[in-house]
Amino acid sequence: MSTTNPTTAGDSLQKSSLHAPPPTVTPFTIAAVAVVALTAAVSYYALIWLFAYIYPNGASGLFTALFVALWLAALIPLIPAVQAMGRSQKANALLRSHDVVGARHHAALGREAALTSMGYSAAILVLATLVAFVSTKDGAIASTFLRPAFIAQAFSDVLAAFWVNVRVALGAEVLVLVLGLGIAIMRMLPGRAGRPLRVLAILYTDIFRAIPGIIVLYLVGFGLSLAEVPFFKDLPPIWLAIFALTLTYSAYVAEVYRAGLDSIHRSQWAAARSLGLSYPQALRTVIIPQAVRRVIPPLLNDFIGLQKDTALIGVMGVIDAFTQSRLIGSAVFNLSPVTVVAIIFVVVTIPQSRFVDRMLEKDQARQRSGSS
Amino acid sequence: MHFLQIRDLHKSYGSLEILKGVTLDVARHEVVCLIGASGSGKSTLLRCINALEPIDSGTILVNGDQVTGLGVDLNALRRNVGIVFQSYNLFPHMSVLKNITLAPTMVGGVSKEAAEQRALELLEKIGLRNKAGSFPDALSGGQQQRVAIVRAMAMDPQVLLLDEITAALDPELVGDVLEMIRELAVDGLTMLLATHEMGFAREVASQVCFLHQGKILERGTPQQVFENPQEERTQQFLSRVIQAGRL
Ligand SMILES: Nc1ncnc2c1ncn2[C@@H]1O[C@H](COP(=O)(O)OP(=O)(O)O)[C@@H](O)[C@H]1O
Ligand SMILES: [Mg+2]
C-alpha cells in the first residue's frame, strides 16, 4: 500500500481519483534532451579520437563524410525526444480545455517517446564511451589489444592451436554426458542396496565441484605420469586434459541431470511401473528422455563453461590456443594475439546458445501442436 | 473363488494409518464401485492393489495367487492388473501410438507391428485413430483419459483399476469416458473403480462399497447402498452428494 501521509499510513486503503489529470511529461522531455546532448558530446570526442587513430595522416573527403554520418546517427534519438515535446505541449493544451482523456492519451504517448529516446541514447552513450576509452591517448589501449597487424599475423597459428581446444572440449563433452548421467543415476538407486553407491555419488559430486578445475588439470597432468600410474602414464597429454576436465565437469553435469530426473513427477513413475515396466525400463524410456529434454539449457551452460576451461590446459604442458597466443604475444610485446583467442571463443560460443534455443522452441512447438 | 481377494489390508504413511483393515472380494466379470469422501483412502487402496505402494499387513490374492509379501514379481502382477489414474499420466514425450504400444512391445513380448495394429484398432473403436501420431498435450482431457484407458487395455489386464478417472474432466467430456467404461463392463471386464459419479456407479456396479476413514463401512448392491443405506455415515455422505447435485 502506498501512502504519502505518515500520520494516516495503514489506516485505510488510499484510492486516487480515476479522472485525475495526467502527471506532466515535461521532466521526461527535458531529461531526454539532456541525455541526447550528452551522447552527442561524448560521441563527438569518441569519433575524433577514433579517426585520429585510424587515419593518423589527416582527413580526406570520405573521412569527413563518414565522420558526419556516424555522428548524426548518434543523434537519431533526438527524433523521439522532439516528438515527446510535441506530445507534451498537446497534452497541456488539452488539459486547459478540460479534455482529461485526450490529455492522458497524449501524455502517455509523450512519456513513451521520451523513454524510447533515453533508452536508445543510453545505449549509444555506452558504446561511444567504450570507443572513446579504447581510442584515447592516440589509441594506446587499442594498439595494445587490437593491433590489426599482430592480429593478422597471429591468427592462423592461434586458430591451428585452437583445434586442440576443440578436440579436448568435444572429447570431454562426450565423456561427461555419459559419466554425468551414470553418477546421477547412481545417486537415485533405490533401496538399502543402493545406499553405498548413493553415498559414493554424493561424495564424488561434492569433492569435484569443490576442487578448482585448474588444480585437477595440474594434478592429473603431472601426478599420473609422475606416479607412473599404469595406462595413464602413457596417455598423450591431450587425453589427460580430456580426463581431467571430464572429472570436474561430470560432477556439475551429474547435478544438472539429477535436477532433471527429480523434476519428473512421481506420477510418471507410477504410470510406467503400473504398465509392468521394470525400474530400469521406466528410467530409460520414460524418465530419462523427459529429464534430458528439460536439462538441455543448463547442460549447454556447463558445456560452454567446459569449452572455456580448455584454455586452462596449458598448465599441464599442452599447447592450446591460449598458450600459443601468449607465446606469440610475448614475442611481439603485445596482447593482440591473445585478443584473437578471446574472439575465437566468442565466435564459437554464441552460435551454440542460439542453436539450442531454437531446438528447444521447436521441441515445445512440436509437443504443443501434436504433429509427429 | 473370487478373482481378486483383499484380506485385512493395512497401510500407513508414516504414523498416519490410511487403510485400517480393508477386506474386499471382486469376482470375475464384476464391477465394484468404491465411493467415499475425499481422503477416505480410495486412491491408496487402488495403488496398493497395483503394488505402487507397499502395504503394512494383510494379503492380496489375484486369481488365487498371493501377490503380497517378499519376492513377488511385481512387474508380472502389474501386467495382469491395470490401473488408470485421475490425472491420465500419459507420457508427454511420446505420441499417442507410442504411449499405447510401449508396454506391449517392451514387456508384453508383442512385435511392434502387431502392437501398433492392435493399438490402432483400439483407437478406432473410440474414434481417436486420427490422433495416433499426436502428442498428449494436443488432446483434450477427455481424449487423453480415453487414450490412458486404451493404454492400460493394450496389456490385456485381467482386472482394471480406475481411480476417479472423470474427476479432472470438464463436465461435457465425462460422457465419452464413462461410455467407454460401460462398454468394457458389457464386454465382461473385471473392474474396481473409485468414483464420484453416483449415477454411473448405480448403473454399472454389481457391488458398491462405501469407504470411510480407511474402512469399508457398508457394502451391497447399488439398490441397497443408494436407496436403503444402513449406516449413518453412508446416509450423511449420500445426502451431501445429493445436495451437490451429483445423484
Ligand atoms: N504419498 C502420500 N504421503 C502421505 N500421505 C498420503 C500420501 N498419499 C495419500 N496420503 C494421504 O492419505 C489419505 C487418503 O488419500 P487418498 O487415498 O488419496 O484418498 P481418496 O482417494 O479417497 O481421496 C489422505 O489423507 C492423504 O493426505
Ligand atoms: Mg483419490
Side-chain angles (χ1 to χ4, degrees):
Chain A
M1 192 189 317
S2 77
T3 47
T4 46
N5 187 344
T7 59
T8 64
D11 288 352
S12 64
L13 189 65
Q14 310 239 320
K15 293 218 170 136
S16 49
S17 162
L18 279 178
H19 44 255
T24 172
V25 189
T26 317
F28 283 89
T29 59
I30 292 171
V33 172
V35 177
V36 171
L38 181 64
T39 307
V42 173
S43 353
Y44 179 79
Y45 283 104
L47 287 169
I48 292 270
W49 290 337
L50 182 66
F51 278 73
Y53 168 60
I54 297 176
Y55 301 107
N57 303 325
S60 64
L62 186 68
F63 164 91
T64 318
L66 195 61
F67 181 95
V68 172
L70 283 174
W71 192 60
L72 286 179
L75 294 186
I76 288 176
L78 194 58
I79 298 170
V82 169
Q83 282 168 348
M85 286 160 97
R87 294 283 183 190
S88 171
Q89 273 165 13
K90 180 96 187 187
N92 289 339
L94 286 171
L95 207 53
R96 278 191 294 277
S97 58
H98 302 291
D99 179 0
V100 173
V101 173
R104 246 175 1 207
H105 178 82
H106 285 281
L109 288 176
R111 225 171 5 252
E112 173 74 26
L115 287 173
T116 304
S117 166
M118 282 191 271
Y120 278 81
S121 289
I124 294 169
L125 188 61
V126 170
L127 286 180
T129 310
L130 221 65
V131 169
F133 181 69
V134 167
S135 52
T136 185
K137 294 212 294 179
D138 291 332
I141 290 174
S143 58
T144 304
F145 291 101
L146 292 163
R147 190 108 118 227
F150 289 148
I151 287 181
Q153 183 194 334
F155 191 76
S156 66
D157 281 347
V158 172
L159 193 63
F162 190 70
W163 181 232
V164 173
N165 297 67
V166 172
R167 281 185 298 165
V168 169
L170 290 178
E173 279 165 5
V174 171
L175 294 180
V176 161
L177 277 180
V178 178
L179 188 59
L181 184 58
I183 295 164
I185 292 173
M186 229 165 99
R187 193 158 176 178
M188 58 187 292
L189 286 177
R192 198 161 53 160
R195 194 188 170 98
L197 290 175
R198 286 202 298 274
V199 171
L200 212 60
I202 293 170
L203 275 176
Y204 180 91
T205 48
D206 282 0
I207 289 173
F208 277 95
R209 280 187 306 165
I211 308 177
I214 195 165
I215 294 179
V216 175
L217 279 164
Y218 195 82
L219 291 175
V220 167
F222 296 118
L224 292 183
S225 52
L226 208 66
E228 309 221 318
V229 180
F231 179 70
F232 285 103
K233 72 179 194 316
D234 302 322
L235 280 182
I238 187 167
W239 274 101
L240 290 176
I242 290 175
F243 178 64
L245 285 172
T246 301
L247 284 180
T248 300
Y249 274 89
S250 291
Y252 288 104
V253 168
E255 287 296 286
V256 168
Y257 273 128
R258 186 168 72 97
L261 292 168
D262 282 352
S263 77
I264 306 301
H265 197 260
R266 283 178 350 117
S267 64
Q268 288 288 308
W269 275 108
R273 297 306 302 276
S274 77
L275 289 166
L277 271 62
S278 65
Y279 185 94
Q281 285 170 333
L283 191 65
R284 183 162 55 83
T285 57
V286 174
I287 306 301
I288 289 178
Q290 293 186 61
V292 166
R293 252 160 253 239
R294 285 190 199 178
V295 300
I296 286 174
L299 209 58
L300 187 87
N301 276 339
D302 279 351
F303 275 8
I304 289 172
L306 188 156
Q307 288 166 18
K308 293 194 294 186
D309 273 3
T310 61
L312 302 174
I313 64 179
V315 298
M316 55 199 298
V318 182
I319 308 283
D320 77 311
F322 179 46
T323 316
Q324 180 67 271
S325 72
R326 267 163 41 213
L327 291 174
I328 303 174
S330 56
V332 297
F333 293 112
N334 189 279
L335 287 177
S336 301
V338 182
T339 308
V340 173
V341 195
I343 292 170
I344 293 175
F345 271 110
V346 168
V347 168
V348 167
T349 302
I350 288 179
Q352 296 183 60
S353 322
R354 294 285 81 80
F355 170 73
V356 167
D357 281 357
R358 266 240 317 276
M359 212 168 71
L360 271 180
E361 272 164 25
K362 258 198 216 149
D363 202 51
Q364 282 169 355
R366 188 184 53 111
Q367 286 202 9
R368 259 198 309 271
S369 78
S371 65
S372 56
Chain B
M1 185 187 62
H2 285 107
F3 181 70
L4 179 66
Q5 294 170 289
I6 301 163
R7 293 279 168 276
D8 199 25
L9 186 67
H10 288 260
K11 164 74 187 168
S12 337
Y13 287 116
S15 61
L16 190 67
E17 190 169 32
I18 306 298
L19 298 178
K20 300 169 185 161
V22 172
T23 296
L24 174 64
D25 289 329
V26 181
R28 209 179 270 280
H29 310 307
E30 203 188 3
V31 177
V32 175
C33 283
L34 286 172
I35 60 172
S38 191
S40 57
K42 304 183 293 294
S43 300
T44 306
L45 176 58
L46 295 178
R47 293 171 64 86
C48 285
I49 298 172
N50 199 253
L52 289 170
E53 300 288 350
I55 63 173
D56 300 339
S57 65
T59 52
I60 301 174
L61 282 80
V62 174
N63 206 5
D65 292 330
Q66 184 171 333
V67 296
T68 43
L70 291 176
V72 176
D73 182 351
L74 297 181
N75 300 327
L77 162 70
R78 292 175 185 134
R79 274 171 244 151
N80 287 306
V81 180
I83 186 167
V84 181
F85 305 94
Q86 179 174 340
S87 50
Y88 343 130
N89 301 0
L90 293 178
F91 307 130
H93 61 301
M94 292 180 186
S95 68
V96 164
L97 191 64
K98 192 78 210 295
N99 261 280
I100 300 170
T101 57
L102 178 72
T105 53
M106 182 162 261
V107 298
V110 183
S111 75
K112 184 162 176 266
E113 293 71 35
E116 288 186 348
Q117 200 191 334
R118 174 92 202 288
L120 289 173
E121 281 167 15
L122 290 169
L123 285 172
E124 178 85 57
K125 263 206 233 166
I126 54 167
L128 289 180
R129 195 189 163 117
N130 60 334
K131 299 287 184 190
S134 302
F135 282 81
D137 284 1
L139 269 53
S140 76
Q143 290 171 336
Q144 289 190 50
Q145 191 57 292
R146 284 185 290 152
V147 170
I149 296 169
V150 166
R151 181 174 71 175
M153 288 307 296
M155 285 301 284
D156 257 331
Q158 303 189 46
V159 53
L160 189 61
L161 313 173
L162 302 156
D163 188 5
E164 294 196 41
I165 55 168
T166 57
L169 297 178
D170 290 337
E172 80 272 20
L173 302 177
V174 169
D176 284 344
V177 174
L178 292 186
E179 180 56 33
M180 222 180 139
I181 302 307
R182 211 172 272 129
E183 278 169 23
L184 291 175
V186 170
D187 290 348
L189 181 67
T190 312
M191 285 187 278
L192 176 56
L193 51 116
T195 186
H196 272 120
E197 302 286 341
M198 298 304 160
F200 180 73
R202 174 182 275 185
E203 176 195 338
V204 300
S206 43
Q207 189 188 156
V208 174
C209 299
F210 173 64
L211 202 60
H212 179 71
Q213 293 181 352
K215 277 193 175 139
I216 295 181
L217 208 61
E218 182 161 7
R219 68 184 92 202
T221 64
Q223 281 77 14
Q224 287 167 347
V225 176
F226 288 124
E227 275 151 35
N228 193 14
Q230 302 299 308
E231 297 286 334
E232 198 189 333
R233 298 287 186 185
T234 318
Q235 291 161 3
Q236 286 171 354
F237 173 72
L238 288 173
S239 71
R240 275 205 305 277
V241 171
I242 289 167
Q243 273 169 19
R246 299 291 283 265
L247 189 68

